[in-house]
Amino acid sequence: MTVSGTASASRTAPRPASRRATRRREASIGLLFVLPVLLFFVAFRFGPAIAGALLGFTDYQPGADTSWTGLDNFRRMTEDPLFWRALRTTLLYSVLAVPLSILAALAMALLVRRAFRGVKLFRSIFFLPVVTSLVLAGILFTWIFSAGGPWSSVMGAIGLPGQAWLSDTTLVIPALVVVAVWTRFGYGMLILLARLQDIPRELEEAALTDGANAWQRFRHIVLPELRPALFFLAVIETTVSFQVFDTVYVMTGGGPANASYMVVFQIYDQAFRYFDFGYASAIGVALFVMTMVVAVIQRLTVGRDR
Amino acid sequence: MSTTVAEKARAAAGGDPSRSRRRAYGTFRPSRTGRVLRAALLLLAAIVTLFPFYVMVVLSLKPIGPVTFPGSLAPTGLTTEAFDQILGARDVLRWALNTLVYAVVSVVGVLFLASLAGYAFAKKRFPGKEVMFWSFVAMLMVPYQVTLIPTFVIVSQAGGVDTYWGLILPTLANAQAVFLIRQFVRSLPDSLFEAATIDGCSEWRIYRSIVLPLIKPILATLGVFVFLWHWNDFLWPLVVGQSQEMRTLTTGLASLNAEQVPLSVVLAGSVVAFVPIFMAYLVGQRYFTEGVTMTGQKG
């Protein structure tokens, strides 16, 4: 701050030496401004990320001696039926939740795409679940799915399994998927809506005058334009689904009979119930690898052109 | 592509072009059956979307006791009994205060740190800039749960369990905020900063009186978004706020829910947690939606 006088002088008379001084000054100011955030990143992001990976190779438990155990945790993981089960359940949940919430988002985006009276109200309504906390959604849907609750009654009335979905080992995952779609579709809708509004309207008008029907216009004009946004959504939704925790914690606690015991729930369970920080960290590493693999696969398939 | 043909097509489709022409996206008018179908679908979707909120409000206003379906959903016999009970318990007000502190301090901290860094990343040359910046961004790829345990170890070793600072400090390393602010500052003309330097402005003053006012739009949008995120955050407050007094609304409600507290009371608490967000949403809807599309487009 104090050297600003000399710096402004150097700008008006750019001699080599003073230009170097200006550069140095700019660099120190830059570093100074970045420093606070950098410290927080080192302390709470980079450090923990490295530590998280390293902890996976130890038997760290708070208050106990720690030793390096190499691949033991990972070996234990491969032999842990609960881990495989959590992995399978997480994948099943994601395979259902991701396409369904994207489809719902796409349908709603197309429905509220064009202006009509009240369109803003509808958009606001559909986005409302996104600003609702997952804990709150979990509490509400626990009652909605309960025996004799609205969901069970409606399902029973139309001839579908009508019992309490959350206490049924095969229906608990579909139930959590329903909650996921309710809480997430508004987010996707908004992302797709932003893209839809960028499509030049001449394109569709031309197709319309050429006699293309609604499906053809969607298939050949709208869908290709939406591809990057759909790719982005697929990655985000998969990440979110892999990391599902709040609703599981509130609605099922991993049950019944571990039927909704998923990867992040296991991390939490191992770390904060059994205090097995080493093993929990190893599962965290597995989650990271899983997320990366899926992101790469999606990039290679859906997202080629971006 | 001529407009006359398009208009003919529109007329043939039974549309009324007069109103739609005002809007860029009113060009196609669906047929009458199309419009009826769309209206029906929208109404159905809106009812399904709003149903849980209706459940929350109506059941929170029911007398404390067993809740039945569909009987309890009728908007009759309403009472504030559950609210009296939940607000009488001092914990809930404490949870609300905790949540507010957590959200507000985090927003201020994140915006301050990220705007300083974002400005430097956008307009200053210094060694290691690119490496630093992109390693921040790369951290967005690492799942939160991987860093959760070591962060908890660090915070608890430092005595941060059940403290505000333990809750707040780790959230100040927000890569997305740095990224978005840097993108925004990059679009501001260099000449502005040069002129200020020539006028003898100190760097701090440039930041205070030029950068901050100019990036207000992004700060507002980001601020609302970060606030919402912290208001609804669950896993970190669950891990760090272990005592009854240090719970936030989300972890507090989850604990009430687990303790078999009557549903009306839990839902009254939920209303307390939801109403501030709902109000903020009504007022600053633009910022919420911008926040989503902005973070969605990644610059």
Side-chain angles (χ1 to χ4, degrees), chain A residues 26 115 124 136 197 201 205, chain B residues 23 25 27 125 270 281 285:
Chain A
E26 183 184 336
S124 313
L136 184 48
Q197 311 209 310
R201 109 185 111 130
E205 275 173 12
Chain B
R23 291 204 172 259
Y25 284 91
T27 316
R125 270 171 304 181
S270 305
Y281 179 56
Q285 210 183 99

Side-chain angles (χ1 to χ4, degrees), chain A residues 89-296:
Chain A
T89 310
T90 308
L91 288 175
L92 172 68
Y93 170 83
S94 306
V95 161
L96 293 172
V98 174
L100 283 177
S101 47
I102 294 180
L103 269 180
L106 182 61
M108 298 325 288
L110 291 171
L111 276 175
V112 299
R113 175 186 183 189
R114 302 191 197 287
F116 57 87
R117 220 177 309 140
V119 70
K120 285 200 171 142
L121 179 67
F122 279 110
R123 287 178 192 160
S124 313
I125 290 173
F126 297 140
F127 189 69
L128 199 55
V130 182
V131 303
T132 309
S133 86
L134 291 171
V135 171
L136 184 48
I139 292 171
L140 289 168
F141 274 93
T142 304
W143 183 72
I144 289 172
F145 282 120
S146 65
W151 183 271
S152 308
S153 307
V154 170
M155 287 295 127
I158 59 174
L160 287 164
Q163 69 275 40
W165 279 33
L166 294 178
S167 39
D168 185 300
T169 49
T170 50
L171 292 176
V172 65
I173 292 300
L176 287 168
V177 168
V178 169
V179 182
V181 172
W182 183 79
T183 54
R184 296 290 302 170
F185 84 91
Y187 175 86
M189 176 193 80
L190 220 56
I191 300 275
L192 294 175
L193 201 56
R195 272 306 288 157
L196 279 172
Q197 311 209 310
D198 286 343
I199 299 177
R201 109 185 111 130
E202 290 80 7
L203 274 180
E204 284 173 272
E205 275 173 12
L208 189 66
T209 51
D210 286 346
N213 64 30
W215 167 251
Q216 288 167 326
R217 291 199 305 273
F218 173 74
R219 174 72 191 78
H220 297 289
I221 297 171
V222 176
L223 205 55
E225 292 282 332
L226 285 183
R227 244 174 85 128
L230 287 171
F231 165 66
F232 170 78
L233 268 188
V235 174
I236 291 287
E237 295 295 329
T238 308
T239 313
V240 170
S241 296
F242 278 3
Q243 299 180 6
V244 60
F245 176 76
D246 303 11
T247 47
V248 176
Y249 182 95
V250 172
M251 295 175 72
T252 68
N258 289 334
S260 65
Y261 197 89
M262 291 195 250
V263 173
V264 174
F265 193 82
Q266 188 173 22
I267 295 177
Y268 174 81
D269 205 33
Q270 285 298 334
F272 297 102
R273 210 170 79 187
Y274 301 111
F275 300 103
D276 202 339
F277 283 28
Y279 188 44
S281 298
I283 301 172
V285 172
L287 176 69
F288 173 58
V289 172
M290 230 166 91
T291 313
M292 290 308 285
V293 167
V294 170
V296 169

Side-chain angles (χ1 to χ4, degrees), chain A residues 66-87:
Chain A
T66 304
S67 57
W68 195 258
T69 54
L71 290 173
D72 277 6
N73 282 327
F74 296 94
R75 213 169 291 132
R76 179 176 158 197
M77 233 158 62
T78 62
E79 290 158 6
D80 180 357
L82 199 53
F83 170 73
W84 286 112
R85 172 147 200 186
L87 198 62

Side-chain angles (χ1 to χ4, degrees), chain B residues 68-91:
Chain B
T68 57
F69 174 80
S72 297
L73 289 182
T76 52
L78 304 181
T79 160
T80 56
E81 210 174 276
F83 282 93
D84 295 341
Q85 196 171 105
I86 198 89
L87 292 172
R90 297 235 323 267
D91 285 339

